[in-house]
Amino acid sequence: EHPLVYLALISSFVGGVIGLVKSPLWRKLIPAYGDFERFKFLSWLKVLTSAGFSVYSALLFLSESSFSKKVKEALEDAVSDIESGVSIESAVEHLKGFLKPSEVSFIKTGVKTGDISRELEPLVRVVEKEAERSVKKSSTIINLITLLIAGIMITVIYAGIVIPLTTGIQRAI
């Protein structure tokens, strides 16, 4: 009887871990994900515009890059608006779904001045620092989760060994 209970505990634990990893919930639990995506987007936008891409071309290129579904949808909405004749300043409002309002303001200012890469330079540095801090927070969270998982696994293994032994000893008495 007890080996089946032990096997069921391990199976449910592994199933729970796999379910968590496959769900979008882990992105909310790990703060670095959103900050890293913001940093990646802003730094790529800066690089592309400083290389001579127009803001529209840069947004179009980035909408086809590897970002989360939320970011891709915001970029596709912005590109669609620009293609339908909406000004770039208005179209980048869609980016508020994943960027902070102040970051969108930096982009708008860069579009107005005509030198978006220069406007984004200080912002990219600030967002990079935020992403680094978030990575430290996330690594702390991941370490705690790892310790918790290890503790649960040790408990399950211990219970799987001790319960059959004590049951066998009780039957022998």
Side-chain angles (χ1 to χ4, degrees):
E1 317 177 330
H2 295 295
L4 292 177
V5 172
Y6 176 66
L7 184 62
L9 284 172
I10 290 177
S11 314
S12 62
F13 175 73
V14 169
V17 170
I18 290 172
L20 180 65
V21 169
K22 286 190 172 189
S23 78
L25 177 66
W26 69 271
R27 291 182 182 161
K28 293 177 184 169
L29 294 176
I30 301 175
Y33 186 80
D35 290 338
F36 177 73
E37 235 183 6
R38 285 181 26 244
F39 168 68
K40 185 170 110 173
F41 169 76
L42 291 168
S43 60
W44 269 107
L45 183 61
K46 178 186 154 301
V47 166
L48 291 171
T49 54
S50 64
F53 279 70
S54 67
V55 175
Y56 166 74
S57 298
L59 292 175
L60 181 63
F61 176 81
L62 291 170
S63 71
E64 297 170 359
S65 299
S66 59
F67 286 105
S68 69
K69 184 178 178 182
K70 178 180 177 181
V71 174
K72 280 188 174 193
E73 286 174 355
L75 288 169
E76 287 168 358
D77 290 345
V79 167
S80 175
D81 277 5
I82 294 169
E83 288 171 345
S84 66
V86 174
S87 70
I88 293 174
E89 291 90 353
S90 298
V92 296
E93 287 291 322
H94 289 288
L95 306 181
K96 285 186 178 175
F98 70 96
L99 291 179
K100 295 178 180 176
S102 61
E103 295 165 349
V104 173
S105 295
F106 269 90
I107 294 171
K108 286 180 176 181
T109 303
V111 169
K112 286 179 187 172
T113 63
D115 193 1
I116 194 168
S117 59
R118 184 176 61 83
E119 293 293 330
L120 288 178
E121 181 64 38
L123 178 62
V124 168
R125 281 185 292 206
V126 169
V127 173
E128 181 180 22
K129 296 289 182 200
E130 286 179 15
E132 286 174 4
R133 281 192 295 272
S134 288
V135 166
K136 287 179 184 175
K137 284 182 192 175
S138 295
S139 66
T140 301
I141 291 170
I142 290 170
N143 285 340
L144 291 173
I145 290 171
T146 304
L147 286 173
L148 181 66
I149 290 170
I152 291 170
M153 288 176 67
I154 289 169
T155 303
V156 168
I157 291 170
Y158 180 75
I161 293 171
V162 171
I163 291 174
L165 285 176
T166 56
T167 304
I169 293 170
Q170 287 174 354
R171 285 184 187 159
I173 297 179

